[in-house]
Amino acid sequence: VGQYQPDFKASLKKKFQSLSEGISEPGNQTSLNQIYPELHITEELTTEVKQEHEVRRIETASRKQETAIRREDIFKPGRGQPIRTVMTMGVAGIGKTLLTQKFTLDWAEGKTNQNIDFIFPFTFRELNNLEEEKFSLLGLIHKLFSKTKEISSFEGLQVLFIFVGLDESRLPLDFENNKILTDATESSSLDVLLTNLIGGKLLPSALLWITTRPAAANQIPADFVDLVTEVRGFTDPQKEEYFRKRFRDDEEKASRIISHIQKSKTLHIMCHIPVFCWITAEVLEEMMKTREEGELPKTLTEMYIEFLLFQLTIKEEKYRRKPEEDPENRKLIETLGSLAFDQLQEGNLIFYDKDLKRCGIDIKDAALFSEVVTEMFKEKKGLGNISIYSFVHLSIQEFLAAVYMLHCFTSRRSEVIKTFLGEEYDETSLDEFMKKVMYKSLSSKNGHLDLFVRFLHGLTVESNQRLLEDLLGIITNLKEMNTDRISPDRSINIFYCLVEMNDVSFYQEIQRLLDSGKQLSVTDCSALTFMLQMSEVLDELDLEKYNTSESGRQKIFNILKFCFKFRLYSCSLSETSWTSLFSALKSNPTHLTGLELRDSNLGDSAVKELCGFLQTQGCKLQ
């Protein structure tokens, strides 16, 4: 080991010591140690799939009473049990890959986890390309890590295998039917190799670390996972720290950007995702350079439109053309949009040559796209020089898909729309079309079209899309939509769509409803919840002011984390409602210091649960 380890560590250090945000060009590399933010990693109880769109997961994320884990301690047994396999979940762009890279770099530099002899980082993007080939475990290691070719066995050594991006795997991972494999020198398909390695039949002494987006976590049987963690991205102070580090030479610019983001709740929420912080920094810095005065983007749609325009500006500067002299821009956006839309429907974030060909994209074009809009679309060479394509972030794919869908509507491409909506399309008006698309997105169980449909509504705003007029119909549709058969949690996206259209008149409507004293429906309570969480922190939330049913009250409990004081007087609540209330309390509300439950019917079990909560470390109640 001592003979081969130094060269091996040096090769990993070279690979992971620097990274590039955006354009991957010489001179644009940043030291990982210099910019790496400490990500918030928490222990989870289950790998159960959460059926919701990732952005909604961030918007509704409650900081539960969680055990935070330090990066370097991820394989150290906290409960006396040995840990072999760790699964780390997190939404797209939250920093999972960066986390494994920093862990590997710290090991390669001799800083942490020196009890590990070798770390072998793999990505499913690369492994997908080896699906048709046969390997032994030893052969696979030798192929991908040439510095280990002289090592004939890893038995008796402490080895860590890292598998990044389970959600991008196109391998079947058939744990039930694959044959058993125990010999590290016996060749088999990659699928058999991985299922036996993960299942502990092959090299049982090895440690494994698998990263994935939440929706794909259940591909690995829970019995094979010893610890589930989740990367939660940036906390509020870390968002500010990111911009201060990014603009360390211009404190005034950093302060202006931070102040602007804090004023827009939508942008502030999205900044939990490190990649979104980077997009925001790119856009706002460019706008401040070119426009001394004037409005900065307040909505997601405005931010992404500016990001696209910025990309095209870089392209034009590179090729010394002016925008109006470049007829390729429309074709570029249309082609990328078509790919984004098709792959979004299939749930793919990465694509190969065959996927592009199916969309009618010439491979030469794809290489050109990754050259001219490097910060939106990228091409990487995998094993065997195979091209792997992806958008820089899922939200960029959703934005371009929305641009393409609106283009299909304005250019009357009824076939595309008919296929998407799954019904006869009679070239209806814009408001009818938007109504159908909205119903389609609301009927999705996991909300995979939520952000796409938000962007679509944002793009119809006159200032964002000059080609379209008379948007009143769309706003009216959203407000009058029949959501009786749609869960209130799903229909909340309607309010986000209204925000993207800069229409917040529903705030006044909810206020009028409150003033009238009429009973609020569960959907009204969802709207009220949305309205309160998008506003500043409340001094006090008094449940007596809101005339609603018990299920409506349970919705309002979600606002606990956005207020300083909560009052619940003379309420007769069922056991379910008490459970909902305590669940909201345990979500570690950031601001709540006062709780009044005067004349409320707490039973014995509720009193015990409340007293238990008061003794927890994170309780801030005074």
Side-chain angles (χ1 to χ4, degrees):
V1 176
Q3 187 180 349
Y4 305 111
Q5 212 185 44
D7 281 353
F8 180 73
K9 282 188 170 183
S11 67
L12 288 184
K13 186 177 170 182
K14 186 179 178 184
K15 185 175 181 181
F16 294 130
Q17 67 188 355
S18 60
L19 78 159
S20 56
E21 293 185 293
I23 301 173
S24 187
E25 290 180 347
N28 196 41
Q29 300 289 308
T30 310
S31 161
L32 181 55
N33 285 331
Q34 185 186 334
I35 69 116
Y36 183 81
E38 283 301 329
L39 294 167
H40 186 59
I41 312 163
T42 63
E43 184 175 341
E44 293 291 298
L45 298 175
T46 176
T47 58
E48 175 194 345
V49 178
K50 308 286 195 299
Q51 293 292 348
E52 61 185 346
H53 187 285
E54 294 192 342
V55 169
R56 288 288 298 129
R57 189 177 172 85
I58 286 169
E59 287 157 356
T60 58
S62 49
R63 303 275 179 189
K64 300 187 286 293
Q65 287 297 117
E66 300 156 319
T67 309
I69 299 173
R70 294 196 314 167
R71 176 186 65 255
E72 58 271 26
D73 296 339
I74 214 148
F75 281 95
K76 291 176 184 170
R79 297 176 301 279
Q81 295 294 322
I83 293 171
R84 178 181 189 261
T85 303
V86 173
M87 178 179 281
T88 295
M89 300 192 292
V91 303
I94 204 80
K96 303 181 295 296
T97 304
L98 212 58
L99 172 67
T100 62
Q101 288 178 0
K102 185 69 170 91
F103 183 97
T104 307
L105 181 62
D106 286 350
W107 174 80
E109 291 181 338
K111 293 176 182 173
T112 56
N113 291 286
Q114 296 305 292
N115 59 310
I116 297 173
D117 296 311
F118 288 95
I119 295 180
F120 298 122
F122 297 87
T123 69
F124 277 101
R125 288 186 179 199
E126 290 186 324
L127 294 175
N128 287 340
N129 298 320
L130 303 176
E131 191 178 359
E132 306 299 322
E133 298 184 45
K134 293 204 170 211
F135 292 98
S136 67
L137 180 59
L138 205 57
L140 181 67
I141 294 170
H142 289 166
K143 180 178 173 72
L144 298 184
F145 302 96
S146 59
K147 301 288 183 190
T148 66
K149 281 189 176 171
E150 302 302 317
I151 302 175
S152 57
S153 171
F154 288 96
E155 293 289 342
L157 299 179
Q158 184 65 85
V159 175
L160 165 61
F161 293 95
I162 298 176
F163 294 102
V164 171
L166 174 65
D167 49 283
E168 297 176 343
S169 167
R170 296 197 180 184
L171 301 168
L173 294 179
D174 190 347
F175 285 90
E176 285 190 18
N177 301 311
N178 278 351
K179 70 171 189 177
I180 292 175
L181 183 71
T182 57
D183 184 352
T185 61
E186 184 184 335
S187 290
S188 70
S189 71
L190 192 59
D191 198 61
V192 168
L193 204 66
L194 289 187
T195 53
N196 280 279
L197 183 62
I198 293 167
K201 300 281 192 301
L202 191 59
L203 208 60
S205 63
L207 301 174
L208 275 80
W209 191 0
I210 301 163
T211 74
T212 181
R213 290 167 60 216
N218 64 346
Q219 287 185 55
I220 309 287
D223 295 350
F224 299 150
V225 179
D226 302 306
L227 174 69
V228 181
T229 62
E230 181 165 11
V231 178
R232 290 297 183 88
F234 288 166
T235 59
D236 287 354
Q238 285 172 327
K239 294 172 194 178
E240 189 168 326
E241 182 192 344
Y242 174 89
F243 292 109
R244 298 245 180 251
K245 274 186 176 178
R246 170 79 187 243
F247 301 108
R248 59 169 66 83
D249 299 329
D250 192 337
E251 202 173 310
E252 190 182 334
K253 186 183 285 179
S255 297
R256 188 180 167 197
I257 288 175
I258 291 163
S259 170
H260 176 71
I261 289 159
Q262 286 172 342
K263 283 176 194 164
S264 168
K265 203 80 173 182
T266 314
L267 301 183
H268 194 247
I269 288 167
M270 283 293 282
C271 279
H272 280 309
I273 305 174
V275 169
F276 186 76
C277 285
W278 165 70
I279 290 172
T280 303
E282 290 278 283
V283 170
L284 298 185
E285 182 181 24
E286 179 63 17
M287 291 184 77
M288 286 175 187
K289 268 190 221 164
T290 54
R291 300 174 217 177
E292 286 299 320
E293 300 299 324
E295 287 285 308
L296 294 174
K298 290 179 184 169
T299 67
L300 284 184
T301 310
E302 289 167 358
M303 185 68 79
Y304 279 68
I305 287 171
E306 293 291 350
F307 187 54
L308 176 60
L309 294 173
F310 177 44
Q311 291 299 292
L312 296 176
T313 304
I314 292 172
K315 167 180 170 282
E316 282 139 17
E317 284 171 0
K318 205 170 187 176
Y319 292 90
R320 296 187 178 177
R321 290 175 178 159
K322 293 179 182 174
E324 60 273 16
E325 292 170 3
D326 193 350
E328 293 297 307
N329 278 351
R330 176 170 278 213
K331 185 193 170 191
L332 177 73
I333 295 164
E334 191 183 324
T335 314
L336 279 177
S338 167
L339 176 70
F341 179 68
D342 284 0
Q343 296 299 311
L344 180 65
Q345 291 188 87
E346 292 184 27
N348 294 334
L349 278 87
I350 59 164
F351 337 112
Y352 299 93
D353 286 346
K354 60 184 178 184
D355 301 314
L356 272 62
K357 283 175 185 168
R358 210 173 63 220
C359 282
I361 297 175
D362 188 290
I363 303 308
K364 289 176 191 168
D365 281 351
L368 179 67
F369 294 162
S370 63
E371 226 181 277
V372 297
V373 282
T374 348
E375 297 192 4
M376 297 191 89
F377 184 73
K378 58 186 177 182
E379 176 192 16
K380 281 191 176 179
K381 291 294 180 186
L383 299 168
N385 216 28
I386 290 173
S387 293
I388 304 166
Y389 307 96
S390 66
F391 291 96
V392 170
H393 188 249
L394 173 61
S395 57
I396 291 173
Q397 185 174 340
E398 291 164 311
F399 169 70
L400 289 170
V403 171
Y404 175 71
M405 179 47 67
L406 201 60
H407 172 71
C408 287
F409 174 80
T410 55
S411 54
R412 296 296 184 230
R413 293 195 182 175
S414 53
E415 277 307 309
V416 176
I417 296 171
K418 198 186 294 181
T419 306
F420 174 59
L421 295 175
E423 58 181 71
E424 284 303 310
Y425 177 66
D426 53 4
E427 298 196 4
T428 51
S429 62
L430 177 62
D431 57 318
E432 276 301 307
F433 164 69
M434 296 296 277
K435 188 192 285 186
K436 286 175 180 175
V437 173
M438 191 72 205
Y439 275 125
K440 166 101 178 170
S441 83
L442 290 174
S443 63
S444 158
K445 285 183 181 173
N446 64 355
H448 74 290
L449 297 172
D450 275 13
L451 204 58
F452 159 77
V453 95
R454 276 189 220 173
F455 282 131
L456 195 55
H457 279 84
L459 285 165
T460 60
V461 174
E462 194 171 356
S463 58
N464 288 340
Q465 179 49 269
R466 297 285 177 197
L467 299 172
L468 298 171
E469 295 171 0
D470 188 18
L471 305 177
L472 184 63
I474 299 165
I475 290 174
T476 308
N477 276 342
L478 286 171
K479 290 179 179 173
E480 293 179 354
M481 251 179 182
N482 180 2
T483 55
D484 293 346
R485 294 184 183 179
I486 296 162
S487 77
D489 285 336
R490 293 292 301 108
S491 62
I492 202 109
N493 204 46
I494 291 172
F495 306 116
Y496 276 106
C497 287
L498 286 165
V499 168
E500 284 306 307
M501 298 179 78
N502 285 311
D503 181 89
V504 287
S505 58
F506 67 93
Y507 286 1
Q508 284 92 32
E509 288 170 31
I510 289 291
Q511 193 57 56
R512 278 198 295 274
L513 195 57
L514 291 173
D515 294 343
S516 72
K518 291 179 182 173
Q519 188 172 55
L520 302 175
S521 68
V522 177
T523 302
D524 292 335
C525 288
S526 285
L528 174 63
T529 301
F530 175 82
M531 183 176 93
L532 293 174
Q533 79 181 43
M534 294 299 271
S535 60
E536 295 301 313
V537 179
L538 301 170
D539 285 334
E540 181 176 285
L541 180 64
D542 186 349
L543 214 63
E544 270 193 309
K545 291 179 183 174
Y546 307 119
N547 178 14
T548 183
S549 63
E550 192 161 331
S551 50
R553 271 197 208 111
Q554 288 175 31
K555 282 274 159 242
I556 299 172
F557 289 156
N558 292 329
I559 296 301
L560 279 178
K561 57 176 171 279
F562 298 109
C563 58
F564 290 111
K565 189 174 181 182
F566 178 66
R567 299 173 69 164
L568 182 65
Y569 286 178
S570 308
C571 268
S572 179
L573 297 183
S574 69
E575 194 174 331
T576 312
S577 282
W578 282 118
T579 304
S580 293
L581 175 60
F582 290 129
S583 174
L585 283 172
K586 286 173 186 171
S587 72
N588 194 12
T590 315
H591 307 284
L592 192 69
T593 54
L595 178 68
E596 291 194 30
L597 300 172
R598 197 174 299 165
D599 295 334
S600 295
N601 64 327
L602 278 83
D604 287 354
S605 61
V607 169
K608 281 177 187 170
E609 190 149 9
L610 178 61
C611 291
F613 167 67
L614 292 171
Q615 292 172 60
T616 57
Q617 195 177 353
C619 179
K620 295 177 182 173
L621 287 177
Q622 295 168 8

